[in-house]
Amino acid sequence: MSDVVEKTLTALPALLALDSQPGAGKLSSTSRLRHLIRSITELTSKHEEEKLIKKELAAIKDQVSSPNTTMRQMRELMVRAMYCEMLGYEADFVYIHAIKLAQQGTVLEKRVGYLAVSLFLNENHELLLLLVNTVLKDLQSTNLIEVCMALTVVSQIFPKDMIPAILPLVEEKLSHPKEIIRRKAVLALYKFYLIAPNQVQHIHGKFRKALCDKDPGVMMSSLHIYLQMIKENPASYKDLTGSFVTILRQVVGGKLPLDFNYHSVPAPWLQIQLLRILSLLGREDQSMSELMYDVLDESLRRAEMNHNITYAILYECVKAIYTIHPKAELLEKAARCIGNFVLSPKINLKYLGLKALTYVVQHDANLALQHQMTIIECLDHSDLIIKRETLELLFRITNAQNVTIIVEKMLGFLRLCNDDYTIIDLVGKVAELAEKYAPDNEWFIQTMNVVFSLGGDLMQPDLPSNFLRLFADGSESEEQDRQLKLYAVDSYLAVLKGDCSHLPQRFLQVISWVLGEYSCLKEDVDQQEVIRLLKKLLEQRGVSSETRSWALSALTKLCKGPGYAELALELAESLSSSLDTVLRQQAHELCLLSQDSQLHARVLPHPAPSDNLEVDSSLSFLDGFVSDALAAGAAPYKPPHQRQEELSQQRALSLEPYGLSLPVTMSSCTLTDRQSPTFLSMSSDLSGNSTELSHRTGANTLMLEGVKRVWGKDGYIPQKEPSLTPAAVDEPSDVVQSPDQQGAAETSLPEPEPEPPQLDQEKQQLASSLFVGLGSQNSMSLLGKTEVAVPRFRRKARQHESASTSGTSESSSNSSHSSRSTTDSFLYGGLLEEEPATPIQNSYHTLKPTIANGSHDARQHSQMVSSTSENEGAATVSAKEDKQANSSQILGSDMVIVRPSKLAEESIVSQRNCSKSLPVAFPHSSDSMVLQLPSELQELPHSDVVSLTSDPHLSVSCCRVFREDALLLVLLLFNPTETALRDVAVELSCEELETASLRGNVMECLEGRKSSVCRYTLLMERPHTQVAFTGSVSYQTQPGHTHILPFSGKLSTADFIRPLMLNTEEYGKLWLSISNDVKQNLKLLTGGGDPLRATLNALKDSLQLHIVDIIGSEGIVACHLLRGGPCLMHCRVHGASLAVWLRSPLPSLPDCLLYHCQRALQEH
Amino acid sequence: MQFMLLFSRQGKLRLQKWYVPLSDKEKKKITRELVQTVLARKPKMCSFLEWRDLKIVYKRYASLYFCCAIEDQDNELITLEIIHRYVELLDKYFGSVCELDIIFNFEKAYFILDEFLLGGEAQETSKKNVLKAIEQADLLQENLDFQIRLFPGVLGPNVSAESSGLFQS
């Protein structure tokens, strides 16, 4: 009764206010809300609205805090508060009351209370803790509606830490008789799984029970959990594949109650969920995929009605078919289905068709060819979204032939676009394509100019630094480099001469750096002019201080010699009052450097050294200073992360603003070095930028965790030609093609609809330029298209220059190698005939270690035999040559080189010293008999015995045994004379290697015509291309008469490389965890079989690599340096070359490895 | 699904449901940007949008825009059908639903949404079952709460568009 009175009372003011209006008599408790809404509708300005809501909120605040407010009123107030919040006004004072309402109200009020809670609070809100008790109580309620409400709110928001408190109750609900409760309980568990997977780990069994629930709704809800779990770990749920297939078959067959139909399609949501799960389970798993072929086929067949929902199913089906292990017949159907999407007049379907094409085109570029006309139409579509998706598709099919037109289209889009996200994404893509496929310098620089001016300061910071790095590293051809630099200088001077006030800062920085570095290459340009322009830039308004700093660095580089002292002084003066300390310092440096040209030349040498600066990142030169400071009582240094950790531990003081400023900004490091600030920071920072790079391209760089392209040789690719021909028949051409388009017509298909001939011709031309080069190399990509190495601007492999040896020795071995290789090929055939026995014997020798490794199949095996025998042939040639050139050299007939390439061997051989004119000290027969490895070592893979040196009393040979844990260097001492040698002692040293003598380096007596063996284990601590070892043997022929025989030799990185046994998945993980990388193009071995396989096998034979996987045109290879880190190689066939991308935590290992790969392939 | 927004042709928010935890500031920013973007699109354009790293699926029913944000790998078409089914549910519940029904009974619209989508996933797709669940709860409601039906004309001319049924166009 009191209720009624109260109601009337609250309604009264509203009644009074509205009584003039018709229908006012029906006012209810929600009339206040109506009143509010109505008043707002009548308002004309935002300001008035604000005033009204403020008033309203004040009234609500008053009422909620009044002790006399009943729950019923509270409910009404809550609704009004929700409305105010929706309008964007904060009403945080009611949050606590919302919880109270959920706690204390009757069912109806509870319902509003829970709703308010779920709308007001988010997962992290502190007040949420107060809800736990209420939920607990309601879960135990006998009222079903209360249980439902509790479960609903739990599945929306619940504090993560409190899950254990209610988990048992939710679990219990899984066996509730009412399906709606079971369903909500499953969804609550799904939510728990998402926010705290560990908390629900123990109840996976219950998920299975839910999956087998007799109610399809509950089963369907459980699929959400399964989809998530399978996404994370498909391998553990393979056993369920059969069940999922059965469920899908029943659903598709219409076995579910009609309730589940949606526009007469049976349970479409369920179907799509199942299709997704199946595609995850079937990915890269042929046996699983085979289970689902039938049901996928049926799904495709059944979904024939022309309604959005069937298209949704079809789209999911197509995606599944292209994700799982391929089946030609299904792929064909799916391709046809994509065609329906693409050709549909409905724009939504067209969009999805393009999306599907983008997904598929990497596997089968011909599909893009089939739809090229539609694609071209979409390119000019009025809807930017369609255009954008089309560009995405084109990006995936870009090659060296169509790059110009595709980039032009992308830039055209960029000019229209004003969405930051799209700009960042597209600019990155254009830059990538430009660097990868640029046809010439002019185009490249101009494209990059547009990229820089359009991308502005939005673009990823690694984009300009990568660009500069390209200049700094240089490519393989010096002349090309020069051209590029000259062109860039020209182009930038032109830019600076124009109005550059609108140019983005990053672009200006790039310009400054390039001009400072390379403008002196250009003879016909007046340096004064360059300086004038840079000065103008420095003084220009609106230029950031960071850019000024770049411009000033450039000026510093250019101002050399006394002629510029005045200018320098002037600059220094004008900047001395600058508020920016960095600029002031730089100006001062400039001033000093310009006065002292010698110092200038030392600090900023020209031409700039091409290798990276050696940066002592440990700052060891400061050690003394630090220890002094510590001794004087200074606090020890803590790295930023540690400091931040400590900060977060002592939460009492929030110092966040300070914490944020910890990372040093780029502009604050003052460098008047030749290196750009970015460049330097990159070279000193080992983490490199490759990870960023992969993040930048986001969804498109699939990397390894993305979808695997599974269509191998036995997959869809054989279907290419058949799929082309029927399509051509299906769509007869309405156009007679002119003869000059015949070429295009061979690869392209006529467009489906007749069009005005003029327009049509244009489109045809566009098509032929867009789709040129497709289909020829349309194999799938293992790491996604975006990671292919750079064919045009091949970055020079930065050779690791070790301090002592490599510089000269490398170049000398290089030259000797090149001269040799030509003679090799020249003499090859004849020599083989001359000495037929040697190669045969050699290959026999060679096989032993390989078999011991036991990792070759028969085919590779035979291939290896042939390749090694070739190697032997070549080796013998060089040996022969050596003999001819220098008869002193002793070479045994069993000079077998197993691996690494014989070059390393040669370099050992080539180290000669004393006793040049000695005749052969011992006959070959005895040599081969004596100089043999101890039998226990013969089992291991080893190189052959090579003579190091000899004198009349002693000859020293060595053999490298490739033990799994180390390199074993076996020195064989042979006494060819009849007299015994006394006190023989061997010493071996090598700076770069960790050496340990095992045994045999000292012996009292070496009898005549006897040999002795001494062993060393060697480990390479840091990768070097080649290292030299030196040593000596001292012995006495007579007491007191000591001879010393020095010897030396070389070892290469390849000796210390061992295969790294990984599977593809481990490889992928490791790949992502490493950021140091090097890209290079290698020669692809041609002739006979699959060039990729042949090349990789050749590499594997000459270097100990492990081929992890070969898929289509890509291969992944792994190895590791003994005691060092791994090195991963990703190879991709790119035209006639092999684009190799190496990653390793050891910065110089990829370079070393590449060097040996190159040599191994050249030898091949 | 990440969130769902309902807003009018004038850009007024009518309903918002967030399935990902975001700060209020962020929510407001997203709403403002999205409303602007979607309203600027022409009627014949594609119902899908790429927006930041999300995919936006939107559809207009009479004067109301329904707008969902999904992740990239989600199915756009089925999301469109989710919107449609929600409108069907509203229509059945209110009986030829119009924007005003949703304005004045937004909490009901929320209840229906919660019964249909839970935590961003379709919970119950059967129209009958959803409405049954709602009605069961409604039955408890005393008849003091009048079922709100709108009286066209009460609100003046400027809202007439809002009272036309969503399914009319």
Side-chain angles (χ1 to χ4, degrees):
Chain A
M1 189 58 204
S2 63
D3 242 20
V4 177
V5 173
E6 211 175 80
K7 205 205 84 57
T8 329
L9 283 176
T10 48
L12 213 55
L15 262 172
L16 293 173
L18 295 165
D19 58 0
S20 61
Q21 308 217 347
K26 279 188 160 189
L27 280 170
S28 68
S29 61
T30 53
S31 63
R32 282 296 202 82
L33 175 69
R34 292 159 154 269
H35 182 64
L36 172 67
I37 295 169
R38 205 163 303 155
S39 324
I40 289 172
T41 330
E42 282 158 6
L43 295 179
T44 46
S45 75
K46 185 83 189 160
H47 180 69
E48 280 174 13
E49 182 191 293
E50 210 165 294
K51 240 167 68 187
L52 185 77
I53 300 283
K54 283 236 171 89
K55 225 172 86 193
E56 182 74 21
L57 283 176
I60 295 175
K61 194 171 185 176
D62 247 18
Q63 272 190 288
V64 288
S65 45
S66 147
N68 298 326
T69 312
T70 61
M71 280 298 146
R72 169 181 298 281
Q73 287 167 318
M74 196 65 100
R75 186 181 84 185
E76 191 267 327
L77 288 168
M78 210 52 71
V79 174
R80 268 154 64 197
M82 282 191 257
Y83 190 80
C84 293
E85 281 246 324
M86 186 154 67
L87 289 176
Y89 300 90
E90 202 164 332
D92 48 0
F93 57 88
V94 295
Y95 294 175
I96 183 75
H97 297 282
I99 291 179
K100 231 163 89 187
L101 189 63
Q103 216 159 37
Q104 298 167 357
T106 62
V107 177
L108 272 177
E109 290 136 17
K110 230 181 221 315
R111 198 179 177 201
V112 175
Y114 274 134
L115 175 66
V117 167
S118 71
L119 287 177
F120 289 153
L121 307 183
N122 68 27
E123 246 156 58
N124 311 317
H125 205 285
E126 294 164 339
L127 284 179
L128 217 49
L129 284 176
L130 297 177
L131 196 70
V132 176
N133 250 328
T134 316
V135 168
L136 216 53
K137 202 180 82 202
D138 284 339
L139 281 176
Q140 288 161 304
S141 161
T142 49
N143 186 336
L144 285 188
I145 291 176
E146 281 182 347
V147 179
C148 275
M149 286 191 301
L151 285 172
T152 305
V153 82
V154 159
S155 346
Q156 297 186 61
I157 45 165
F158 200 74
K160 210 190 308 198
D161 314 328
M162 298 309 285
I163 290 175
I166 59 158
L167 190 59
L169 283 173
V170 177
E171 269 182 74
E172 197 179 280
K173 297 287 178 278
L174 286 176
S175 35
H176 198 276
K178 276 279 185 196
E179 64 267 5
I180 185 168
I181 306 271
R182 294 204 300 273
R183 199 176 64 211
K184 283 183 192 276
V186 170
L187 282 167
L189 290 178
Y190 170 61
K191 173 77 180 177
F192 295 166
Y193 182 81
L194 288 181
I195 59 177
N198 306 335
Q199 310 264 30
V200 291
Q201 225 159 23
H202 59 288
I203 50 171
H204 281 196
K206 299 233 163 124
F207 295 156
R208 289 215 178 199
K209 209 176 137 221
L211 182 66
C212 305
D213 199 283
K214 60 181 188 295
D215 179 67
V218 181
M219 183 268 290
M220 184 179 149
S221 306
S222 75
L223 290 184
H224 294 306
I225 302 180
Y226 274 100
L227 180 64
Q228 203 61 36
M229 292 195 300
I230 291 171
K231 223 182 250 173
E232 280 152 26
N233 181 13
S236 354
Y237 299 94
K238 299 274 184 189
D239 58 320
L240 286 174
T241 312
S243 318
F244 290 131
V245 168
T246 319
I247 298 172
L248 183 57
R249 185 167 294 129
Q250 287 175 358
V251 175
V252 174
K255 300 271 171 20
L256 284 186
L258 285 180
D259 268 356
F260 288 91
N261 279 12
Y262 176 85
H263 294 263
S264 55
V265 174
W269 280 272
L270 183 52
Q271 285 197 43
I272 284 175
Q273 201 78 350
L274 284 167
L275 284 169
R276 274 198 208 153
I277 289 177
L278 288 183
S279 71
L280 288 173
L281 287 171
R283 178 195 292 174
E284 290 177 332
D285 190 333
Q286 188 170 1
S287 59
M288 289 299 132
S289 300
E290 272 161 9
L291 290 177
M292 48 190 91
Y293 287 147
D294 279 349
V295 75
L296 286 176
D297 194 31
E298 195 174 340
S299 292
L300 274 185
R301 203 150 30 82
R302 292 252 183 178
E304 56 207 355
M305 211 185 42
N306 190 14
H307 187 278
N308 263 349
I309 198 75
T310 51
Y311 284 114
I313 295 172
L314 277 178
Y315 178 71
E316 212 60 48
C317 240
V318 168
K319 256 170 90 174
I321 288 171
Y322 272 94
T323 311
I324 61 170
H325 188 88
K327 187 187 181 197
E329 187 191 325
L330 276 181
L331 288 174
E332 217 172 290
K333 283 184 185 169
R336 215 173 307 139
C337 203
I338 293 179
N340 287 342
F341 275 95
V342 175
L343 297 174
S344 164
K346 287 187 185 161
I347 188 161
N348 289 345
L349 297 186
K350 208 182 253 313
Y351 173 83
L352 281 186
L354 287 171
K355 203 176 147 192
L357 264 185
T358 312
Y359 183 76
V360 158
V361 81
Q362 283 157 311
H363 320 316
D364 182 10
N366 276 326
L367 263 184
L369 283 180
Q370 281 175 31
H371 299 297
Q372 50 177 314
M373 276 307 150
T374 321
I375 293 172
I376 283 165
E377 274 162 32
C378 291
L379 207 49
D380 291 325
H381 204 281
S382 56
D383 192 344
L384 285 185
I385 298 300
I386 300 279
K387 254 184 160 168
R388 174 82 182 78
E389 195 59 40
T390 316
L391 288 177
E392 192 67 41
L393 171 62
L394 289 179
F395 170 72
R396 308 271 171 131
I397 59 166
T398 309
N399 55 36
Q401 283 132 303
N402 60 15
V403 64
T404 9
I405 181 121
I406 288 179
V407 165
E408 189 189 306
K409 294 277 170 197
M410 288 170 111
L411 291 177
F413 183 86
L414 266 175
R415 288 192 183 96
L416 296 174
C417 178
N418 50 13
D419 172 51
D420 290 358
Y421 277 79
T422 318
I423 290 176
I424 294 172
D425 183 53
L426 262 187
V427 153
K429 281 178 176 154
V430 172
E432 189 186 322
L433 291 180
E435 192 186 313
K436 215 187 291 179
Y437 300 116
D440 55 57
N441 291 329
E442 191 175 339
W443 183 88
F444 177 66
I445 296 291
Q446 259 161 15
T447 305
M448 288 310 283
N449 283 356
V450 183
V451 164
F452 284 127
S453 26
L454 286 177
D457 296 320
L458 289 172
M459 63 167 83
Q460 300 284 340
D462 61 337
L463 209 147
S465 45
N466 270 352
F467 178 71
L468 293 185
R469 204 176 172 181
L470 193 82
F471 278 100
D473 284 4
S475 65
E476 280 166 349
S477 145
E478 225 161 85
E479 180 51 31
Q480 207 187 54
D481 262 0
R482 227 180 83 82
Q483 291 297 330
L484 180 69
K485 287 167 185 169
L486 286 180
Y487 191 82
V489 168
D490 265 353
S491 154
Y492 293 157
L493 283 177
V495 169
L496 280 190
K497 275 177 193 155
D499 174 28
C500 48
S501 53
H502 60 284
L503 291 179
Q505 304 300 318
R506 291 247 173 82
F507 190 24
L508 294 175
Q509 289 162 13
V510 166
I511 290 179
S512 308
W513 189 83
V514 170
L515 286 183
E517 204 64 34
Y518 302 118
S519 65
C520 47
L521 289 178
K522 194 136 181 95
E523 279 107 17
D524 56 333
V525 168
D526 184 9
Q527 292 297 309
Q528 293 286 359
E529 174 71 1
V530 180
I531 289 175
R532 190 185 66 79
L533 287 170
L534 282 171
K535 224 175 121 219
K536 192 181 107 195
L537 180 62
L538 193 65
E539 283 151 8
Q540 193 175 303
R541 287 167 132 248
V543 169
S544 75
S545 59
E546 192 185 336
T547 311
R548 276 180 223 274
S549 151
W550 284 69
L552 196 53
S553 306
L555 279 170
T556 313
K557 287 172 204 164
L558 292 175
C559 288
K560 50 187 168 203
Y564 297 101
E566 204 171 305
L567 173 86
L569 211 62
E570 183 195 324
L571 272 173
E573 239 161 60
S574 70
L575 287 169
S576 62
S577 56
S578 166
L579 286 178
D580 193 324
T581 47
V582 177
L583 279 182
R584 279 214 303 274
Q585 182 181 343
Q586 275 189 311
H588 188 63
E589 283 168 2
L590 163 65
C591 194
L592 291 182
L593 285 176
S594 66
Q595 281 160 10
D596 187 344
S597 56
Q598 269 182 328
L599 184 65
H600 190 282
R602 248 185 69 206
V603 176
L604 304 166
H606 200 272
S610 61
D611 55 336
N612 287 347
L613 282 186
E614 287 242 351
V615 176
D616 186 357
S617 55
S618 64
L619 303 179
S620 56
F621 55 88
L622 287 175
D623 284 351
F625 176 78
V626 170
S627 57
D628 285 351
L630 285 176
Y637 172 73
K638 285 172 192 160
H641 61 89
Q642 197 183 341
R643 264 177 282 166
Q644 245 151 6
E645 241 167 53
E646 282 171 18
L647 277 181
S648 61
Q649 274 163 6
Q650 14 174 290
R651 280 194 100 166
L653 273 178
S654 167
L655 293 170
E656 241 172 46
Y658 299 98
L660 287 177
S661 66
L662 278 176
V664 181
T665 57
M666 209 153 78
S667 59
S668 64
C669 57
T670 68
L671 291 163
T672 25
D673 283 319
R674 281 261 155 208
Q675 312 298 335
S676 72
T678 357
F679 187 26
L680 189 84
S681 70
M682 280 187 319
S683 53
S684 60
D685 182 5
L686 288 185
S687 71
N689 54 7
S690 55
T691 39
E692 281 168 42
L693 207 126
S694 61
H695 287 311
R696 166 159 58 83
T697 33
N700 310 307
T701 35
L702 290 173
M703 305 296 292
L704 279 170
E705 85 268 45
V707 181
K708 288 279 157 50
R709 280 31 140 216
V710 281
W711 353 94
K713 295 183 86 173
D714 20 350
Y716 190 51
I717 295 184
Q719 294 298 313
K720 254 179 333 202
E721 272 114 354
S723 76
L724 241 175
T725 343
V729 178
D730 287 347
E731 302 164 339
S733 167
D734 293 344
V735 198
V736 181
Q737 278 165 341
S738 57
D740 64 328
Q741 282 170 344
Q742 287 297 338
E746 274 174 20
T747 49
S748 60
L749 282 163
E751 85 290 3
E753 299 159 47
E755 283 177 77
Q758 177 72 47
L759 192 64
D760 173 59
Q761 195 145 16
E762 270 173 31
K763 290 200 169 178
Q764 280 285 352
Q765 256 159 11
L766 184 58
S768 57
S769 50
L770 270 178
F771 297 93
V772 65
L774 269 192
S776 53
Q777 40 159 348
N778 57 342
S779 41
M780 75 297 147
S781 128
L782 198 68
L783 296 178
K785 186 185 177 74
T786 46
E787 265 95 18
V788 193
V790 188
R792 175 167 174 81
F793 297 105
R794 266 182 276 173
R795 290 168 194 241
K796 207 173 354 185
R798 276 162 295 137
Q799 300 282 8
H800 180 85
E801 309 276 8
S802 68
S804 56
T805 47
S806 37
T808 49
S809 61
E810 212 172 271
S811 59
S812 69
S813 59
N814 250 333
S815 61
S816 71
H817 149 249
S818 59
S819 67
R820 203 155 276 162
S821 65
T822 46
T823 25
D824 279 357
S825 55
F826 187 64
L827 293 170
Y828 180 56
L831 269 161
L832 265 185
E833 283 162 31
E834 261 182 356
E835 297 183 345
T838 322
I840 292 167
Q841 189 195 357
N842 287 347
S843 55
Y844 172 72
H845 268 259
T846 320
L847 280 178
K848 267 198 290 187
T850 332
I851 293 164
N853 273 348
S855 60
H856 298 274
D857 60 32
R859 205 171 60 78
Q860 286 171 321
H861 194 112
S862 63
Q863 212 171 14
M864 218 198 60
V865 172
S866 63
S867 72
T868 35
S869 65
E870 270 173 34
N871 251 339
E872 293 332 312
T876 333
V877 171
S878 55
K880 180 95 177 160
E881 215 185 0
D882 269 349
K883 270 191 218 163
Q884 286 162 351
N886 187 344
S887 56
S888 73
Q889 193 50 53
I890 307 150
L891 284 166
S893 62
D894 56 350
M895 242 215 51
V896 185
I897 295 104
V898 182
R899 67 170 182 82
S901 71
K902 69 172 209 290
L903 273 146
E905 210 76 32
E906 279 168 21
S907 54
I908 292 177
V909 172
S910 64
Q911 296 290 315
R912 305 174 191 114
N913 35 46
C914 67
S915 59
K916 284 217 161 64
S917 53
L918 267 178
V920 173
F922 44 85
H924 280 197
S925 57
S926 66
D927 176 34
S928 58
M929 180 199 78
V930 177
L931 288 183
Q932 273 198 349
L933 281 177
S935 54
E936 77 268 20
L937 293 180
Q938 288 205 340
E939 297 298 312
L940 295 169
H942 59 88
S943 74
D944 243 279
V945 181
V946 192
S947 171
L948 287 178
T949 183
S950 60
D951 67 7
H953 307 288
L954 187 68
S955 79
V956 181
S957 311
C958 83
C959 173
R960 286 161 295 142
V961 179
F962 307 106
R963 260 186 15 200
E964 250 171 60
D965 57 335
L967 179 74
L968 195 64
L969 190 71
V970 181
L971 292 176
L972 301 130
L973 310 179
F974 176 64
N975 182 356
T977 60
E978 300 296 335
T979 48
L981 302 174
R982 299 275 160 193
D983 292 330
V984 183
V986 184
E987 260 179 65
L988 181 80
S989 70
C990 178
E991 274 176 37
E992 291 91 355
L993 298 175
E994 186 190 320
T995 53
S997 161
L998 287 184
R999 59 178 117 137
N1001 60 336
V1002 180
M1003 71 202 96
E1004 276 181 20
C1005 173
L1006 183 61
E1007 297 288 343
R1009 304 208 61 80
K1010 280 277 154 58
S1011 68
S1012 149
V1013 174
C1014 83
R1015 308 173 187 194
Y1016 289 89
T1017 52
L1018 303 178
L1019 282 171
M1020 191 177 257
E1021 279 166 335
R1022 293 211 335 249
H1024 297 279
T1025 321
Q1026 283 192 339
V1027 286
F1029 62 85
T1030 54
S1032 60
V1033 189
S1034 62
Y1035 59 90
Q1036 295 185 346
T1037 42
Q1038 310 151 18
H1041 205 282
T1042 307
H1043 294 254
I1044 292 183
L1045 176 60
F1047 63 87
S1048 65
K1050 280 194 177 180
L1051 296 167
S1052 77
T1053 333
D1055 296 322
F1056 299 91
I1057 296 284
R1058 297 290 178 271
L1060 184 61
M1061 293 302 170
L1062 286 177
N1063 63 31
T1064 314
E1065 201 177 305
E1066 291 160 346
Y1067 180 96
K1069 276 186 198 146
L1070 193 56
W1071 178 270
L1072 290 176
S1073 67
I1074 307 173
S1075 52
N1076 236 321
D1077 54 7
V1078 173
K1079 294 177 188 178
Q1080 177 74 291
N1081 279 14
L1082 291 179
K1083 195 177 89 177
L1084 196 59
L1085 295 179
T1086 46
D1090 179 6
L1092 175 67
R1093 214 168 266 280
T1095 313
L1096 288 187
N1097 280 329
L1099 288 177
K1100 178 179 147 190
D1101 293 341
S1102 47
L1103 302 157
Q1104 276 202 352
L1105 306 175
H1106 169 57
I1107 301 177
V1108 182
D1109 209 350
I1110 298 183
I1111 303 174
S1113 68
E1114 286 183 64
I1116 47 178
V1117 177
C1119 65
H1120 69 113
L1121 185 69
L1122 283 173
R1123 291 266 182 97
C1127 184
L1128 304 181
M1129 243 167 116
H1130 167 237
C1131 315
R1132 187 174 194 276
V1133 177
H1134 202 278
S1137 59
L1138 187 68
V1140 184
W1141 188 5
L1142 293 105
R1143 278 191 173 187
S1144 167
L1146 299 175
S1148 45
L1149 184 55
D1151 285 336
C1152 295
L1153 199 63
L1154 260 180
Y1155 171 77
H1156 288 290
C1157 287
Q1158 277 171 337
R1159 303 191 75 173
L1161 289 178
Q1162 268 162 340
E1163 283 318 297
H1164 203 77
Chain B
M1 193 184 293
Q2 306 249 330
F3 56 84
M4 187 177 205
L5 300 175
L6 261 71
F7 50 88
S8 71
R9 215 171 39 183
Q10 288 80 32
K12 286 250 189 261
L13 194 61
R14 295 303 181 206
L15 211 69
Q16 53 174 342
K17 191 84 193 177
W18 302 82
Y19 298 109
V20 282
L22 288 170
S23 71
D24 282 348
K25 209 176 138 200
E26 187 73 5
K27 284 180 189 171
K28 275 183 198 160
K29 187 164 174 260
I30 292 176
T31 312
R32 203 172 44 238
E33 274 182 41
L34 263 185
V35 168
Q36 227 169 37
T37 320
V38 171
L39 286 179
R41 292 181 59 81
K42 298 193 184 77
K44 290 284 167 207
M45 282 184 166
C46 186
S47 301
F48 316 129
L49 271 181
E50 271 158 49
W51 184 79
R52 300 199 187 172
D53 52 344
L54 294 178
K55 194 72 62 105
I56 305 296
V57 177
Y58 73 92
K59 187 154 185 191
R60 181 179 162 178
Y61 287 89
S63 55
L64 258 194
Y65 284 87
F66 291 70
C67 174
C68 294
I70 54 173
E71 277 144 71
D72 195 49
Q73 69 269 22
D74 286 337
N75 190 317
E76 289 91 345
L77 281 176
I78 199 85
T79 313
L80 216 47
E81 294 313 299
I82 283 181
I83 294 177
H84 190 75
R85 167 66 22 130
Y86 181 48
V87 175
E88 280 180 356
L89 286 168
L90 291 172
D91 195 58
K92 189 89 182 274
Y93 182 81
F94 289 108
S96 170
V97 69
C98 65
E99 187 184 343
L100 285 180
D101 288 322
I102 295 169
I103 299 174
F104 286 100
N105 300 290
F106 69 90
E107 81 274 21
K108 296 272 166 38
Y110 275 123
F111 291 144
I112 297 172
L113 186 61
D114 282 349
E115 214 49 53
F116 173 48
L117 296 177
L118 197 47
E121 305 285 350
Q123 174 197 185
E124 172 60 88
T125 53
S126 151
K127 219 188 316 191
K128 203 178 80 190
N129 289 350
V130 173
L131 293 177
K132 207 168 79 192
I134 294 289
E135 273 152 17
Q136 269 176 353
D138 277 354
L139 272 183
L140 294 162
Q141 189 144 352
E142 297 110 310
N143 58 0
L144 287 171
D145 256 357
F146 293 97
Q147 269 305 308
I148 299 117
R149 298 303 304 151
L150 273 198
F151 317 103
V154 171
L155 298 163
N158 57 339
V159 286
S160 58
E162 291 159 12
S163 54
S164 60
L166 292 184
F167 273 127
Q168 278 174 8
S169 60

